[in-house]
Amino acid sequence: MYSVSLRIDLHTHSYGSPDGCLTVRDYRAALAKLDYIAITDHGTVGAAVQIKKALGEQGDKIIIGEEIKTTDGEIIGLYLQESISEGMTPVDTVEAISRQGGLVYVPHPFETVRSGISENGLAEIIQSVDIIETYNGRAVFQNRGELAAKWAAKHQRVMAASSDAHGRHGWGETYSVINGPPSRDLLVKLLRTAAYSKKTVGLGILYPKVNRIRKKRHAA
């Protein structure tokens, strides 16, 4: 039984992602349902840094991250200070994360429709993986969660459930439950005994496409 139950979502996308739209206001509201949230925009930590600062004292609840496209799927770096270049190999990407003292989080592994890293790609970085996502709130059409859980168990890596929210609809329902405040040094240990809330974001799966269209129209 947990002495403290803290809800943490390690995979969300703000307006800093080409297909995201969550704002400072949205993150402030979400912190009424979640205790800690990682902002993991595609290819940048810029908006995450801005939002963390804008939230003031609540900014302590924000983890700065980035979802990085590699030559073999996407990898998330958590607890970053600077953006990491996309387009590198998985090995070079995790090395870049490690140089910043970050944690390596693998989102939606084995998926093909959303740039999940392949089994071969994972094999190349197995010793560097800290956390593997075994439930993704947007995994509606191609759910590889069971396969990811088996991989995590086989290789003794901790698991997480995250929303992958790109907008407001449905988020705050998919998260991991840990028994103490997370930090760079404690998060993996806390996730070893985590519980999970596993729900889909429902119509939230449409956000990436809608957000891209809206941003292109606005840019025009």
Side-chain angles (χ1 to χ4, degrees):
M1 181 178 296
Y2 295 112
S3 56
V4 179
S5 294
L6 300 175
R7 299 154 295 180
I8 183 170
D9 187 345
L10 293 169
H11 187 178
T12 72
H13 293 271
S14 78
Y15 59 82
S17 286
D19 56 358
C21 67
L22 292 166
T23 65
V24 173
R25 182 177 179 180
D26 294 326
Y27 281 98
R28 182 174 286 115
L31 286 169
K33 300 177 70 174
L34 297 164
D35 297 291
Y36 293 88
I37 307 172
I39 301 176
T40 55
D41 288 323
H42 295 290
T44 181
V45 300
V49 172
Q50 293 172 358
I51 293 169
K52 183 179 179 74
K53 182 177 180 180
L55 285 172
E57 291 185 0
Q58 284 186 303
D60 292 340
K61 307 296 185 180
I62 298 296
I63 298 168
I64 294 174
E66 177 188 352
E67 187 164 12
I68 309 152
K69 189 171 184 178
T70 77
T71 55
D72 186 344
E74 293 172 326
I75 296 173
I76 287 175
L78 298 174
Y79 295 100
L80 299 180
Q81 289 80 48
E82 299 177 350
S83 300
I84 293 174
S85 298
E86 297 191 297
M88 296 188 292
T89 66
V91 171
D92 289 341
T93 300
V94 300
E95 286 180 355
I97 293 170
S98 296
R99 283 195 293 270
Q100 293 192 35
L103 296 177
V104 174
Y105 178 104
V106 179
H108 45 72
F110 312 124
E111 290 194 18
T112 56
V113 296
R114 290 192 298 162
S115 297
I117 193 167
S118 69
E119 189 168 0
N120 288 337
L122 268 180
E124 293 180 354
I125 61 170
I126 186 170
Q127 298 304 320
S128 300
V129 173
D130 295 298
I131 306 162
I132 186 162
E133 188 176 82
T134 54
Y135 190 85
N136 179 291
R138 292 185 55 244
V140 175
F141 299 111
Q142 189 182 47
N143 191 335
R144 296 289 189 263
E146 185 176 343
L147 182 60
K150 289 180 179 178
W151 188 94
K154 178 180 179 180
H155 299 287
Q156 298 182 322
R157 294 296 185 269
V158 299
M159 300 178 284
S162 298
S163 69
D164 194 5
H166 286 63
R168 292 185 297 272
H169 189 89
W171 81 323
E173 302 294 336
T174 305
Y175 50 83
S176 302
V177 182
I178 54 179
N179 64 1
S183 67
R184 161 61 181 84
D185 295 329
L186 291 177
L187 179 57
V188 172
K189 179 179 179 180
L190 290 168
L191 285 170
R192 289 188 186 125
T193 55
Y196 311 101
S197 174
K198 300 179 180 180
K199 299 180 181 180
T200 67
V201 296
L203 292 176
I205 63 172
L206 301 176
Y207 272 115
K209 181 175 291 187
V210 172
N211 289 336
R212 285 183 183 276
I213 293 172
R214 182 185 294 123
K215 289 182 179 183
K216 284 182 179 179
R217 287 179 176 172
H218 182 73

